Amino acid sequence: MGNKGEALRQRIIAAADELFYQQGYENTSFSDIADVVNISRGNFYYHFKSKDEILNAVIDARIAGIEAMLDEWDEKFADPLQRLYCYIDMLLRAQEEIRLHGCPIGSLCTELAKTSHAMLSDANKMFTVFRDWLMVQFKLLGVESNVKKMAMHFIARVQGIVTVTNAFEDKEFLQQEVKQLKKWLDDEVVFPKSSNQ
Amino acid sequence: MGNKGEALRQRIIAAADELFYQQGYENTSFSDIADVVNISRGNFYYHFKSKDEILNAVIDARIAGIEAMLDEWDEKFADPLQRLYCYIDMLLRAQEEIRLHGCPIGSLCTELAKTSHAMLSDANKMFTVFRDWLMVQFKLLGVESNVKKMAMHFIARVQGIVTVTNAFEDKEFLQQEVKQLKKWLDDEVVFPKSSNQ
DNA sequence: GTCTATATCGAGATAGAC
DNA sequence: GTCTATCTCGATATAGAC
């Protein structure tokens, strides 16, 4: 493939990614994306045969983005606890986007569960990447049992915070919950009083 | 209004309620609803002038339904702790619907946050009804500070469980999280070790 | 009240010129 | 590769007969 065509393809994916997050998948039309990228609707179909195909490309791009981000964190922080704090602080860094549009992963899964069940199993892989990374960090911290359950629990806690922050458009709620979540990390994961779960 | 017309109106609202939950709001057409109720699309507009109007009616009906359910629980259980267990067990009772369609409140708010922001403030009132009821139960249990924060935290925990259960279509996750949530209720609310939050 | 048209719009998708 | 038509479908909504 030529360099120019490949670059345009990436620009389409990036535009679709953002619009799907802000407006939802079904609610975003080809025209919306085409307007952002400044191409015609017709040209669209040279790069993607269907809307499903764009969604697939967006999911793949997001997964690659998450993996790159986690690699960066691993390099930046030697201490697994610092990495986990960095994960929680992601909520603070993205709090305005979360207030307005929720979680890019969670809200997409919620939408796909209602419309196209078939693609849900692709979308939830985004969660799986985070889950597997969390499991590694927990193990490094010395947690030996229920590591997977703990990682899923962690993800659910974050999703709950995001859903409520978004529903009430309330960043203060997010901020206070972040503090509690760090407390949970310190008390239940790093220094558990008894066997967990 | 005549009795027959009023009854049909209620049937339309009930059908819309269920379809909005299963398929999402935007993704549900007048035809879908009309098919269930067995009326023509045209007849629809005699009862509701627009789709927004149906959504408003559905939200009102859901709020009335939640209030009736909570009244029932209050009557059935004298002990606030039993009432809160009943609230948590709602997850188990509805686990198959949750696996398939998520939370009727949470998923609607998530959708409206992306499409029609204007109606989000109506939709999140459904959460508020639960929140206010939770606050009453916590106070009855002797909790004196951060009652509102605790109620919001509780709701977020439930939302997180539902979002992940739905995304992974995994009822086992829901079941194990229900146990943990009851443990949280016992340890942190009923017998808090120290001042909370 | 309930129905059968019908109007209007915007969506996804295709064909073919350049 | 990118464009301008154009097709087809299904959505909300309206008009008017019964």
Side-chain angles (χ1 to χ4, degrees):
Chain A
M1 269 202 192
N3 208 343
K4 194 181 168 189
E6 188 57 23
L8 177 54
R9 192 190 148 89
Q10 295 308 318
R11 276 171 56 218
I12 292 172
I13 293 172
D17 190 345
E18 189 173 1
L19 286 169
F20 290 170
Y21 176 43
Q22 294 172 344
Q23 310 182 343
Y25 171 61
E26 291 282 355
N27 195 46
T28 298
S29 68
F30 283 143
S31 298
D32 291 337
I33 304 171
D35 285 351
V36 171
V37 190
N38 253 309
I39 59 167
S40 68
R41 262 158 298 146
N43 188 6
F44 223 107
Y45 291 85
Y46 173 79
H47 298 277
F48 299 95
K49 287 196 229 3
S50 71
K51 209 182 171 187
D52 279 9
E53 222 170 88
I54 305 175
L55 179 57
N56 258 316
V58 167
I59 290 173
D60 288 344
R62 284 189 187 180
I63 287 175
I66 293 165
E67 283 170 343
M69 182 181 71
L70 295 177
D71 283 347
E72 203 186 299
W73 292 358
D74 286 347
E75 218 171 306
K76 192 170 174 185
F77 305 103
D79 180 6
L81 187 58
Q82 291 304 313
R83 292 174 187 165
L84 293 172
Y85 282 144
C86 184
Y87 173 74
I88 296 177
D89 281 331
M90 185 172 50
L91 290 171
L92 292 175
R93 294 192 294 273
Q95 59 182 303
E96 180 60 13
E97 290 80 11
I98 289 169
R99 183 182 77 86
L100 290 171
H101 315 115
C103 170
I105 308 174
S107 59
L108 180 61
C109 286
T110 296
E111 180 179 351
L112 293 178
K114 295 215 190 284
T115 52
S116 51
H117 245 214
M119 309 209 66
L120 178 57
S121 53
D122 294 312
N124 70 23
K125 279 178 195 153
M126 293 186 281
F127 276 137
T128 305
V129 176
F130 275 112
R131 185 200 64 192
D132 292 344
W133 179 84
L134 286 170
M135 287 172 66
V136 171
Q137 310 314 315
F138 289 151
K139 280 176 188 165
L140 288 171
L141 282 172
V143 179
E144 281 168 355
S145 61
N146 293 317
V147 176
K148 188 174 173 184
K149 284 181 187 176
M150 197 179 276
M152 291 294 282
H153 174 82
F154 203 174
I155 288 173
R157 289 282 287 267
V158 170
Q159 285 302 305
I161 295 167
V162 170
T163 300
V164 170
T165 299
N166 184 228
F168 285 94
E169 303 178 286
D170 180 2
K171 287 194 286 192
E172 272 185 49
F173 172 76
L174 182 144
Q175 289 155 16
Q176 78 198 21
E177 283 288 320
V178 161
K179 288 181 198 163
Q180 276 196 63
L181 199 52
K182 285 180 179 171
K183 195 167 176 293
W184 170 81
L185 187 63
D186 292 337
D187 295 349
E188 304 288 326
V189 180
V190 185
F191 296 114
K193 301 164 301 297
S194 59
S195 72
N196 235 315
Q197 278 103 39
Chain B
M1 270 199 189
N3 208 342
K4 194 181 169 190
E6 188 56 23
L8 177 55
R9 190 189 149 89
Q10 294 308 317
R11 277 171 55 217
I12 292 172
I13 293 171
D17 189 346
E18 190 173 0
L19 287 169
F20 290 171
Y21 176 41
Q22 295 172 343
Q23 310 182 341
Y25 170 62
E26 291 282 354
N27 195 46
T28 298
S29 69
F30 283 143
S31 298
D32 292 336
I33 305 171
D35 285 351
V36 172
V37 190
N38 253 308
I39 59 168
S40 68
R41 262 158 296 147
N43 187 6
F44 223 106
Y45 290 85
Y46 174 78
H47 298 278
F48 298 96
K49 288 196 225 5
S50 73
K51 211 182 171 187
D52 280 8
E53 222 170 89
I54 305 176
L55 179 57
N56 258 316
V58 166
I59 290 173
D60 288 344
R62 285 189 186 179
I63 287 176
I66 294 165
E67 285 171 342
M69 182 181 72
L70 296 178
D71 284 348
E72 204 185 299
W73 291 359
D74 286 347
E75 219 172 306
K76 193 171 175 183
F77 305 103
D79 180 7
L81 187 58
Q82 291 304 311
R83 293 174 186 164
L84 292 171
Y85 281 144
C86 184
Y87 173 74
I88 296 176
D89 280 331
M90 183 170 55
L91 290 171
L92 292 175
R93 292 193 295 275
Q95 60 182 298
E96 180 60 13
E97 290 80 12
I98 289 169
R99 182 182 77 87
L100 291 170
H101 314 115
C103 170
I105 306 174
S107 60
L108 180 61
C109 286
T110 296
E111 180 179 352
L112 293 178
K114 295 217 189 284
T115 52
S116 52
H117 243 216
M119 307 210 67
L120 178 57
S121 52
D122 293 312
N124 70 22
K125 280 179 194 156
M126 294 186 280
F127 276 137
T128 305
V129 175
F130 275 112
R131 186 200 64 192
D132 292 345
W133 178 84
L134 286 169
M135 287 172 68
V136 171
Q137 311 314 316
F138 289 152
K139 281 177 189 165
L140 286 171
L141 282 172
V143 180
E144 280 167 357
S145 61
N146 293 317
V147 176
K148 187 173 171 182
K149 283 183 187 173
M150 197 179 274
M152 291 293 283
H153 175 81
F154 203 172
I155 288 173
R157 290 283 287 268
V158 170
Q159 285 303 305
I161 295 167
V162 170
T163 300
V164 171
T165 298
N166 184 226
F168 285 93
E169 303 179 286
D170 180 2
K171 287 194 285 191
E172 271 185 49
F173 172 76
L174 182 144
Q175 289 155 17
Q176 77 198 21
E177 283 288 320
V178 160
K179 287 180 198 164
Q180 276 196 63
L181 198 51
K182 285 179 179 172
K183 197 168 176 293
W184 170 81
L185 186 62
D186 293 337
D187 295 349
E188 303 289 325
V189 181
V190 185
F191 297 114
K193 302 164 301 296
S194 59
S195 72
N196 234 315
Q197 278 103 37

